[in-house]
Amino acid sequence: MTQPDTWYVAFGPDKTIKTDDSAEGVVRSTRTFRSEVDAKLFAMQILAKGWSASAGTLNPHQPKQVIGASQIEKWADPRVNA
């Protein structure tokens, strides 16, 4: 039996960057991961693209963790603001 995914990273283009004036709304996607380390590595790749991201644990994983867009850079790379 394989270990279920316990982490997610939701991501998409930064809302403040408009690449196409005809585009309506921002498309966001989500990927799931088995470990926090994998989620952090993926989040760092997304942030390197200049996109926004948030992350957290999936139910029923306890304790519940939610990492908002304003905290994700520090969560993904502990060297930030260290």
Side-chain angles (χ1 to χ4, degrees), residues 6-62:
T6 55
W7 283 88
Y8 73 88
V9 175
F11 59 96
D14 192 335
K15 294 179 199 175
T16 60
I17 300 172
K18 290 189 177 183
T19 57
D20 184 359
D21 290 334
S22 65
E24 292 184 26
V26 176
V27 176
R28 290 187 60 81
S29 298
T30 303
R31 276 193 56 188
T32 59
F33 302 90
R34 289 195 173 104
S35 74
E36 184 177 9
V37 170
D38 291 339
K40 286 181 176 185
L41 291 171
F42 181 74
M44 288 177 64
Q45 292 174 358
I46 293 301
L47 295 173
K49 288 183 177 182
W51 289 11
S52 64
S54 60
T57 54
L58 297 166
N59 288 331
H61 184 75
Q62 293 294 328

